[in-house]
Amino acid sequence: MTPIYVTQPHLPPLEEFIPYLQKIWDSKTLTNCGPMHQEFEQALSEYLGVEHVALFANGTLALVTALQALRITGEVITTPYSFVATAHSLLWNGIKPVFVDINPDTLNLDPRKIEAAITPQTTAIMPVHCYGHPCDVDAIQKIADNYNLRVLYDAAHAFGVRDASGSILRHGDLSVLSFHATKVFQTFEGGAIICPDAKTKQRINHLKNFGFVDEVTVVAPGINGKMSEVNAAFGLLQLKHIDEALARRQEIDRAYRNFLEGVTGIRCLEKRAVERANYAYFPIMVGPGHQIDRDGLYWKLREHGVHARRYFYPLISEFPMYRGLPSAQRANLPVAHEAASQVLCLPIYPALPIEQVEFIASLVRN
Ligand SMILES: *Cc1c(COP(=O)(O)O)cnc(C)c1O
């Protein structure tokens, strides 16, 4: 029995990558924002429909650098229901995370609970478009405007998602993408900051390259966050295949929803009202009405070779470096705790056959 993992990278035939490697070999430029890097930044901003893209070696470095670029300090309001890198990027900047509970339907930061968490030290809000479902961007921006806060979106799940007015990556001051191998769109390792104006992009370019402006001028204590030429070349190739990959994901999403309809105690996350979704994940909530609980179902799937994942469990606020914070207390985050105890992300990736989707759904159904 071959295991079915929660995700699998969508890899084009190897032959298609060779010409890109040949170009790199010919140019002898391996990094330092060379031609592949520049071409990929350009191609991505066109594909995504955004003004400026700054490529990074990974999403975490992009988050850490985005916080630096906006000069964020003090306290930042964020969600406990995410991957640890969201909050870790704050600690790497000496910023105190303040956890606010999520909305039970969207699993995104609940705007109605943000104001109560604002203190004189608060400088920004860092929401996550969880599973690629857009946050309530208007409500969040309104609060940010009222209290003069910055908004930095961890958009690691939101590649290619568009709402009625275009890419959701245009919202807030900056948005950060991850191109890790497990993501919808991947470059082995990689990430990007989406920025609205050339000035910010220039500052980010300095920050990701040690603070160098030219050979003899260093203007900031920058980091080495640059994406290499090989990763950028792979990104260019992936872009050619992303639309077919998203279309396959959509079919799988649809199939799961059909097969799981009406199963007692199982709730599929509502489809979002977006122009284009990316079907990055397929989370189900295993409620008290189901025959077995979430962990029971998780292990049952494992026995049949299906490696579902408990994203996001445990909550970030439960890890040792966060759990002492007042905002990390369970009583402050009831919705997030319930979600973390019920959620199970089922396998979804372009090469997953519909028969296997049906098989997985039948195991959930029982
Ligand atoms: C994957 C992910 C990151 C980190 O990205 P890397 O490229 O792996 O460093 C950050 N936030 C969220 C929500 C993620 O899913």
Side-chain angles (χ1 to χ4, degrees):
M1 170 175 73
T2 333
I4 304 173
Y5 293 105
V6 73
T7 189
Q8 190 184 89
H10 187 57
L11 293 174
L14 184 56
E15 308 83 76
E16 288 187 28
F17 194 38
I18 305 297
Y20 292 83
L21 290 175
Q22 188 65 56
K23 257 193 182 173
I24 295 173
W25 259 243
D26 293 344
S27 77
K28 308 234 178 338
T29 303
L30 309 186
T31 183
N32 288 358
C33 309
M36 289 293 180
H37 192 285
Q38 288 170 35
E39 197 181 327
F40 184 36
E41 282 191 344
Q42 188 56 38
L44 259 185
S45 59
E46 278 161 27
Y47 179 82
L48 295 170
V50 296
E51 286 302 316
H52 300 280
V53 176
L55 292 171
F56 276 78
N58 60 64
T60 304
L61 275 169
L63 281 172
V64 168
T65 309
L67 289 162
Q68 291 270 327
L70 296 174
R71 297 190 170 84
I72 290 169
T73 58
E75 296 178 4
V76 169
I77 289 169
T78 190
T79 169
Y81 193 80
S82 180
F83 181 62
V84 279
T86 308
H88 279 1
S89 69
L90 297 171
L91 291 197
W92 273 78
N93 278 289
I95 295 164
K96 180 173 160 189
V98 174
F99 296 111
V100 162
D101 209 359
I102 57 174
N103 174 298
D105 298 320
T106 66
L107 307 182
N108 285 328
L109 201 56
D110 190 340
R112 291 168 305 183
K113 296 184 179 153
I114 292 176
E115 279 190 87
I118 296 174
T119 76
Q121 282 69 50
T122 310
T123 57
I125 307 170
M126 187 159 80
V128 178
H129 298 297
C130 194
Y131 307 129
H133 296 169
C135 290
D136 190 343
V137 290
D138 295 335
I140 291 169
Q141 195 56 53
K142 207 165 164 190
I143 297 166
D145 290 343
N146 285 342
Y147 291 86
N148 191 26
L149 306 176
R150 302 294 212 143
V151 182
L152 167 57
Y153 281 104
D154 179 340
H157 298 179
F159 184 93
V161 177
R162 286 197 291 262
D163 63 19
S165 50
S167 170
I168 65 158
L169 305 172
R170 297 173 351 276
H171 297 289
D173 292 284
L174 295 174
S175 291
V176 171
L177 289 169
S178 164
F179 308 141
H180 183 257
T182 55
K183 303 296 205 270
V184 162
F185 177 86
Q186 60 96 15
T187 60
F188 290 55
E189 290 271 5
I193 301 179
I194 309 305
C195 42
D197 59 280
K199 205 172 138 218
T200 313
K201 154 100 168 154
Q202 188 184 50
R203 177 162 158 76
I204 291 166
N205 280 349
H206 296 158
L207 285 173
K208 77 179 190 187
N209 189 31
F210 311 99
F212 275 113
V213 172
D214 58 42
E215 266 180 53
V216 293
T217 315
V218 174
V219 292
I223 198 150
N224 182 1
K226 307 180 299 288
M227 176 179 279
S228 88
E229 289 292 279
V230 175
N231 297 98
F234 191 74
L236 280 168
L237 175 56
Q238 284 282 93
L239 263 191
K240 294 192 174 160
H241 295 276
I242 183 66
D243 285 335
E244 80 199 25
L246 294 185
R248 269 295 295 150
R249 283 176 175 274
Q250 179 172 20
E251 284 172 27
I252 292 163
D253 179 283
R254 197 179 298 135
Y256 270 131
R257 286 177 192 278
N258 280 337
F259 294 136
L260 291 173
E261 205 183 318
V263 181
T264 320
I266 297 290
R267 174 167 76 92
C268 297
L269 231 62
E270 231 178 283
K271 281 200 211 166
R272 293 278 86 83
V274 288
E275 283 294 304
R276 193 178 70 163
N278 68 5
Y279 312 96
Y281 299 86
F282 196 85
I284 58 169
M285 307 308 274
V286 187
H290 197 59
Q291 305 119 308
I292 46 175
D293 66 8
R294 191 276 311 273
D295 287 348
L297 181 56
Y298 170 79
W299 288 111
K300 179 183 161 193
L301 291 173
R302 276 292 278 272
E303 279 164 29
H304 290 85
V306 178
H307 295 239
R309 288 296 299 268
R310 289 168 288 188
Y311 290 141
F312 288 101
Y313 166 85
L315 294 176
I316 300 177
S317 48
E318 293 295 289
F319 292 119
M321 59 298 293
Y322 301 104
R323 67 184 171 215
L325 294 168
S327 67
Q329 301 316 298
R330 202 183 175 94
N332 186 46
L333 307 167
V335 180
H337 274 277
E338 183 170 88
S341 73
Q342 295 189 350
V343 73
L344 197 59
C345 285
L346 301 180
I348 184 166
Y349 51 87
L352 185 67
I354 295 297
E355 304 79 69
Q356 291 195 347
V357 175
E358 188 168 10
F359 168 66
I360 296 163
S362 73
L363 292 171
V364 174
R365 232 172 216 288
N366 213 334

